[in-house]
Amino acid sequence: MNLSITNDLGYLAIFTLVLILPKLLLRFRLPSGITALVIGIMFSMIDPTIQDDRLFRFLSQIGITSLFLFAGLEVDFGELKSDGKYLSKYIGKSLVVILLMVLGLSEFFDLSYPSATILALGIFTPSAGFIMNSMHSFNMGEDQEYWVKSKAISKELMSVVLLFIALQGHDIKSMLVSLVFFAALFAFLPLIFKLYFKFISPYAPNSEIPFLVVLSLTAGVISKELGTYYLVGAFIVGLIGSRFKHKIFKDDEQMLFSALAGFFNVFLPFYFFQAGLKISVGELTMDSFVLGLVFIVIFVPLRIILTSSSLKYILEEFINKPYQISLSLMPTLIFGLVAAGALRNRGEVDSKLIYALIFYTLISSLLPSIFFSLRKGEAKQVEQQG
């Protein structure tokens, strides 16, 4: 059956499913991003032509750039500096592990070093924005939330840099052009922010969120055209914007952060929907599932051990709940899908490996929901018995 979505009713049906169904299934602790991804896969099977629909592609761009804008704004350089000694050791360990992964993946799968780096980042990088948006359902204490956020953001900062190098390292000219663009962002964005707050903000009340979204979308699209990815430019806008949080959120920081989170929660499902549209069920093989399971068996325990060994020396509460923070950092949904898309675009990686990464990404992103659901069930049983 061919479903044409050239009419308003077709778009309305998809919008309703993508925006409402994931929210309904949250009661079963199923992450909304995974639900939207599955909806995309289903529609790609019904009508493959919608893969190239410009509306959904544009909505997905708004979703991914606003998410990384939010992640960049969450960066508190003061907090990172105060815990710099610990976080630098953690990042150092992570770099060593990623280097070993790159060497191993390159050797075992006969990949170039850039492709092996992208694959390693897709496996190893927690998706900070996705995790922070889900933490409210994890029922953690403030100390635990702080360390989850700090670790996720610090590792994502590292991974954004490594992803840029992996995507551009083969072409020095393109890399230099991109570096000039990103240097210009760091140089001129503070001035743009100052001009905005002086000449626009006083006469355009409540325009801070639209201003940030437009900036991040513009920077993201340009960085994609330069051969990197949307998230790099959008993340830089968020980083620069974090220096002006006292002006952006001058009235009520929590309220405006919630408004921004609400904004990307509307558009982010379309990023997952668009990613699902790109998945061809016909290319899925048993080898992909087996390889994905191998990734889970090897890399999930490795990531848990790395995080646990770092935290147990500095957080007393961690001794009583040894895996709560580690499991909260497991979701790789955003970076995993970004890495899968980047590998697909490079055209030199077997589709079996790409779908293995996607399968690993889905399972690792479900782990916190499964773990905390089980813990909640056990707590209820204990309470009833008591």
mmCIF file of all heavy atoms in Angstrom, residues 243-269:
data_model
loop_
_atom_site.group_PDB
_atom_site.id
_atom_site.type_symbol
_atom_site.label_atom_id
_atom_site.label_comp_id
_atom_site.label_asym_id
_atom_site.label_seq_id
_atom_site.Cartn_x
_atom_site.Cartn_y
_atom_site.Cartn_z
ATOM 1 N N ARG A 243 27.262 31.637 28.974
ATOM 2 C CA ARG A 243 27.928 32.778 29.623
ATOM 3 C C ARG A 243 26.954 33.933 29.851
ATOM 4 O O ARG A 243 27.232 34.824 30.655
ATOM 5 C CB ARG A 243 29.096 33.252 28.752
ATOM 6 C CG ARG A 243 30.240 32.246 28.625
ATOM 7 C CD ARG A 243 31.214 32.641 27.539
ATOM 8 N NE ARG A 243 31.624 34.039 27.644
ATOM 9 C CZ ARG A 243 32.344 34.665 26.713
ATOM 10 N NH1 ARG A 243 32.709 34.019 25.614
ATOM 11 N NH2 ARG A 243 32.680 35.932 26.868
ATOM 12 N N PHE A 244 25.832 33.918 29.152
ATOM 13 C CA PHE A 244 24.852 35.003 29.260
ATOM 14 C C PHE A 244 23.559 34.541 29.926
ATOM 15 O O PHE A 244 22.523 35.183 29.789
ATOM 16 C CB PHE A 244 24.544 35.555 27.862
ATOM 17 C CG PHE A 244 25.711 36.203 27.182
ATOM 18 C CD1 PHE A 244 26.596 35.448 26.418
ATOM 19 C CD2 PHE A 244 25.948 37.563 27.316
ATOM 20 C CE1 PHE A 244 27.687 36.035 25.792
ATOM 21 C CE2 PHE A 244 27.039 38.166 26.687
ATOM 22 C CZ PHE A 244 27.911 37.394 25.924
ATOM 23 N N LYS A 245 23.633 33.426 30.643
ATOM 24 C CA LYS A 245 22.414 32.889 31.257
ATOM 25 C C LYS A 245 21.761 33.887 32.209
ATOM 26 O O LYS A 245 20.546 33.914 32.355
ATOM 27 C CB LYS A 245 22.729 31.578 31.989
ATOM 28 C CG LYS A 245 22.765 30.378 31.064
ATOM 29 C CD LYS A 245 22.726 29.069 31.822
ATOM 30 C CE LYS A 245 24.023 28.781 32.511
ATOM 31 N NZ LYS A 245 24.077 27.388 33.019
ATOM 32 N N HIS A 246 22.586 34.709 32.858
ATOM 33 C CA HIS A 246 22.012 35.676 33.806
ATOM 34 C C HIS A 246 21.142 36.702 33.101
ATOM 35 O O HIS A 246 20.238 37.285 33.705
ATOM 36 C CB HIS A 246 23.126 36.376 34.577
ATOM 37 C CG HIS A 246 24.051 37.184 33.722
ATOM 38 N ND1 HIS A 246 24.963 36.605 32.856
ATOM 39 C CD2 HIS A 246 24.198 38.531 33.587
ATOM 40 C CE1 HIS A 246 25.635 37.558 32.230
ATOM 41 N NE2 HIS A 246 25.192 38.733 32.644
ATOM 42 N N LYS A 247 21.404 36.916 31.798
ATOM 43 C CA LYS A 247 20.569 37.841 31.031
ATOM 44 C C LYS A 247 19.428 37.112 30.310
ATOM 45 O O LYS A 247 18.308 37.614 30.229
ATOM 46 C CB LYS A 247 21.421 38.594 30.003
ATOM 47 C CG LYS A 247 22.390 39.598 30.623
ATOM 48 C CD LYS A 247 23.068 40.415 29.540
ATOM 49 C CE LYS A 247 23.973 41.502 30.145
ATOM 50 N NZ LYS A 247 24.621 42.330 29.102
ATOM 51 N N ILE A 248 19.752 35.922 29.787
ATOM 52 C CA ILE A 248 18.728 35.157 29.079
ATOM 53 C C ILE A 248 17.609 34.776 30.030
ATOM 54 O O ILE A 248 16.423 34.878 29.711
ATOM 55 C CB ILE A 248 19.344 33.885 28.455
ATOM 56 C CG1 ILE A 248 20.404 34.265 27.394
ATOM 57 C CG2 ILE A 248 18.257 33.024 27.808
ATOM 58 C CD1 ILE A 248 21.175 33.076 26.869
ATOM 59 N N PHE A 249 18.008 34.340 31.236
ATOM 60 C CA PHE A 249 17.033 33.868 32.211
ATOM 61 C C PHE A 249 16.899 34.864 33.359
ATOM 62 O O PHE A 249 16.864 34.489 34.529
ATOM 63 C CB PHE A 249 17.445 32.495 32.748
ATOM 64 C CG PHE A 249 17.694 31.479 31.676
ATOM 65 C CD1 PHE A 249 18.944 30.908 31.511
ATOM 66 C CD2 PHE A 249 16.684 31.106 30.816
ATOM 67 C CE1 PHE A 249 19.171 29.969 30.517
ATOM 68 C CE2 PHE A 249 16.896 30.166 29.817
ATOM 69 C CZ PHE A 249 18.138 29.601 29.665
ATOM 70 N N LYS A 250 16.823 36.129 32.993
ATOM 71 C CA LYS A 250 16.842 37.189 34.016
ATOM 72 C C LYS A 250 15.609 37.154 34.921
ATOM 73 O O LYS A 250 15.645 37.587 36.062
ATOM 74 C CB LYS A 250 16.945 38.557 33.346
ATOM 75 C CG LYS A 250 15.869 38.844 32.306
ATOM 76 C CD LYS A 250 16.119 40.180 31.643
ATOM 77 C CE LYS A 250 15.073 40.503 30.583
ATOM 78 N NZ LYS A 250 15.080 39.572 29.458
ATOM 79 N N ASP A 251 14.491 36.637 34.402
ATOM 80 C CA ASP A 251 13.263 36.631 35.201
ATOM 81 C C ASP A 251 13.159 35.379 36.074
ATOM 82 O O ASP A 251 13.082 35.460 37.281
ATOM 83 C CB ASP A 251 12.038 36.738 34.287
ATOM 84 C CG ASP A 251 12.015 38.065 33.558
ATOM 85 O OD1 ASP A 251 12.405 39.077 34.165
ATOM 86 O OD2 ASP A 251 11.615 38.080 32.382
ATOM 87 N N ASP A 252 13.163 34.234 35.438
ATOM 88 C CA ASP A 252 13.017 32.975 36.167
ATOM 89 C C ASP A 252 13.759 31.899 35.389
ATOM 90 O O ASP A 252 13.255 31.387 34.387
ATOM 91 C CB ASP A 252 11.536 32.618 36.304
ATOM 92 C CG ASP A 252 11.317 31.392 37.177
ATOM 93 O OD1 ASP A 252 12.250 30.590 37.300
ATOM 94 O OD2 ASP A 252 10.219 31.262 37.742
ATOM 95 N N GLU A 253 14.965 31.573 35.830
ATOM 96 C CA GLU A 253 15.806 30.641 35.085
ATOM 97 C C GLU A 253 15.124 29.297 34.891
ATOM 98 O O GLU A 253 15.125 28.746 33.787
ATOM 99 C CB GLU A 253 17.142 30.451 35.807
ATOM 100 C CG GLU A 253 18.073 29.476 35.094
ATOM 101 C CD GLU A 253 19.461 29.455 35.696
ATOM 102 O OE1 GLU A 253 19.827 30.412 36.391
ATOM 103 O OE2 GLU A 253 20.170 28.475 35.456
ATOM 104 N N GLN A 254 14.548 28.763 35.957
ATOM 105 C CA GLN A 254 13.937 27.443 35.864
ATOM 106 C C GLN A 254 12.754 27.451 34.899
ATOM 107 O O GLN A 254 12.553 26.512 34.125
ATOM 108 C CB GLN A 254 13.485 26.980 37.254
ATOM 109 C CG GLN A 254 13.053 25.519 37.308
ATOM 110 C CD GLN A 254 14.148 24.579 36.849
ATOM 111 O OE1 GLN A 254 15.301 24.718 37.239
ATOM 112 N NE2 GLN A 254 13.795 23.632 35.984
ATOM 113 N N MET A 255 11.977 28.534 34.920
ATOM 114 C CA MET A 255 10.807 28.626 34.052
ATOM 115 C C MET A 255 11.219 28.663 32.580
ATOM 116 O O MET A 255 10.656 27.959 31.739
ATOM 117 C CB MET A 255 9.985 29.862 34.389
ATOM 118 C CG MET A 255 8.690 29.987 33.583
ATOM 119 S SD MET A 255 7.810 31.524 33.905
ATOM 120 C CE MET A 255 8.884 32.711 33.086
ATOM 121 N N LEU A 256 12.252 29.473 32.268
ATOM 122 C CA LEU A 256 12.679 29.587 30.876
ATOM 123 C C LEU A 256 13.406 28.331 30.406
ATOM 124 O O LEU A 256 13.304 27.943 29.240
ATOM 125 C CB LEU A 256 13.556 30.829 30.703
ATOM 126 C CG LEU A 256 12.775 32.146 30.660
ATOM 127 C CD1 LEU A 256 13.716 33.335 30.622
ATOM 128 C CD2 LEU A 256 11.854 32.187 29.456
ATOM 129 N N PHE A 257 14.152 27.684 31.308
ATOM 130 C CA PHE A 257 14.759 26.408 30.948
ATOM 131 C C PHE A 257 13.665 25.394 30.619
ATOM 132 O O PHE A 257 13.793 24.617 29.675
ATOM 133 C CB PHE A 257 15.632 25.876 32.096
ATOM 134 C CG PHE A 257 17.102 25.985 31.820
ATOM 135 C CD1 PHE A 257 17.902 26.812 32.572
ATOM 136 C CD2 PHE A 257 17.680 25.252 30.800
ATOM 137 C CE1 PHE A 257 19.256 26.923 32.315
ATOM 138 C CE2 PHE A 257 19.023 25.339 30.535
ATOM 139 C CZ PHE A 257 19.827 26.179 31.297
ATOM 140 N N SER A 258 12.606 25.413 31.411
ATOM 141 C CA SER A 258 11.483 24.514 31.159
ATOM 142 C C SER A 258 10.821 24.852 29.824
ATOM 143 O O SER A 258 10.390 23.959 29.089
ATOM 144 C CB SER A 258 10.456 24.614 32.289
ATOM 145 O OG SER A 258 11.018 24.211 33.516
ATOM 146 N N ALA A 259 10.751 26.145 29.507
ATOM 147 C CA ALA A 259 10.159 26.557 28.233
ATOM 148 C C ALA A 259 10.995 26.052 27.058
ATOM 149 O O ALA A 259 10.456 25.567 26.058
ATOM 150 C CB ALA A 259 10.044 28.081 28.176
ATOM 151 N N LEU A 260 12.319 26.174 27.187
ATOM 152 C CA LEU A 260 13.201 25.685 26.127
ATOM 153 C C LEU A 260 13.105 24.171 26.008
ATOM 154 O O LEU A 260 13.053 23.628 24.900
ATOM 155 C CB LEU A 260 14.646 26.101 26.417
ATOM 156 C CG LEU A 260 15.701 25.664 25.379
ATOM 157 C CD1 LEU A 260 15.345 26.188 23.994
ATOM 158 C CD2 LEU A 260 17.084 26.155 25.781
ATOM 159 N N ALA A 261 13.066 23.487 27.166
ATOM 160 C CA ALA A 261 12.928 22.031 27.144
ATOM 161 C C ALA A 261 11.599 21.638 26.504
ATOM 162 O O ALA A 261 11.532 20.674 25.729
ATOM 163 C CB ALA A 261 13.019 21.473 28.567
ATOM 164 N N GLY A 262 10.554 22.398 26.807
ATOM 165 C CA GLY A 262 9.256 22.126 26.199
ATOM 166 C C GLY A 262 9.290 22.330 24.693
ATOM 167 O O GLY A 262 8.662 21.581 23.935
ATOM 168 N N PHE A 263 10.068 23.328 24.248
ATOM 169 C CA PHE A 263 10.181 23.597 22.815
ATOM 170 C C PHE A 263 10.833 22.424 22.094
ATOM 171 O O PHE A 263 10.288 21.920 21.103
ATOM 172 C CB PHE A 263 11.004 24.872 22.589
ATOM 173 C CG PHE A 263 11.203 25.216 21.136
ATOM 174 C CD1 PHE A 263 10.276 25.982 20.469
ATOM 175 C CD2 PHE A 263 12.308 24.752 20.439
ATOM 176 C CE1 PHE A 263 10.441 26.292 19.121
ATOM 177 C CE2 PHE A 263 12.498 25.053 19.103
ATOM 178 C CZ PHE A 263 11.550 25.825 18.441
ATOM 179 N N PHE A 264 11.992 21.973 22.604
ATOM 180 C CA PHE A 264 12.646 20.892 21.866
ATOM 181 C C PHE A 264 11.918 19.558 22.052
ATOM 182 O O PHE A 264 12.048 18.660 21.224
ATOM 183 C CB PHE A 264 14.148 20.793 22.189
ATOM 184 C CG PHE A 264 14.524 20.128 23.476
ATOM 185 C CD1 PHE A 264 14.368 18.771 23.656
ATOM 186 C CD2 PHE A 264 15.115 20.855 24.505
ATOM 187 C CE1 PHE A 264 14.760 18.151 24.835
ATOM 188 C CE2 PHE A 264 15.500 20.249 25.679
ATOM 189 C CZ PHE A 264 15.309 18.890 25.848
ATOM 190 N N ASN A 265 11.114 19.434 23.122
ATOM 191 C CA ASN A 265 10.319 18.218 23.282
ATOM 192 C C ASN A 265 9.239 18.097 22.221
ATOM 193 O O ASN A 265 8.764 16.995 21.931
ATOM 194 C CB ASN A 265 9.677 18.180 24.673
ATOM 195 C CG ASN A 265 10.621 17.623 25.723
ATOM 196 O OD1 ASN A 265 11.454 16.782 25.417
ATOM 197 N ND2 ASN A 265 10.507 18.108 26.941
ATOM 198 N N VAL A 266 8.836 19.235 21.640
ATOM 199 C CA VAL A 266 7.883 19.199 20.540
ATOM 200 C C VAL A 266 8.566 18.769 19.247
ATOM 201 O O VAL A 266 8.023 17.969 18.467
ATOM 202 C CB VAL A 266 7.220 20.585 20.350
ATOM 203 C CG1 VAL A 266 6.386 20.615 19.065
ATOM 204 C CG2 VAL A 266 6.353 20.930 21.552
ATOM 205 N N PHE A 267 9.794 19.256 19.015
ATOM 206 C CA PHE A 267 10.452 19.013 17.731
ATOM 207 C C PHE A 267 11.404 17.813 17.739
ATOM 208 O O PHE A 267 11.633 17.205 16.694
ATOM 209 C CB PHE A 267 11.231 20.269 17.304
ATOM 210 C CG PHE A 267 10.340 21.409 16.910
ATOM 211 C CD1 PHE A 267 10.011 22.405 17.816
ATOM 212 C CD2 PHE A 267 9.807 21.477 15.636
ATOM 213 C CE1 PHE A 267 9.182 23.452 17.460
ATOM 214 C CE2 PHE A 267 8.975 22.520 15.260
ATOM 215 C CZ PHE A 267 8.661 23.513 16.180
ATOM 216 N N LEU A 268 11.949 17.463 18.909
ATOM 217 C CA LEU A 268 12.907 16.364 18.953
ATOM 218 C C LEU A 268 12.334 15.037 18.468
ATOM 219 O O LEU A 268 13.048 14.273 17.801
ATOM 220 C CB LEU A 268 13.477 16.216 20.368
ATOM 221 C CG LEU A 268 14.617 15.201 20.525
ATOM 222 C CD1 LEU A 268 15.788 15.574 19.619
ATOM 223 C CD2 LEU A 268 15.061 15.108 21.979
ATOM 224 N N PRO A 269 11.065 14.706 18.768
ATOM 225 C CA PRO A 269 10.530 13.442 18.239
ATOM 226 C C PRO A 269 10.641 13.324 16.728
ATOM 227 O O PRO A 269 10.759 12.205 16.200
ATOM 228 C CB PRO A 269 9.057 13.475 18.689
ATOM 229 C CG PRO A 269 9.061 14.308 19.929
ATOM 230 C CD PRO A 269 10.095 15.376 19.666
#
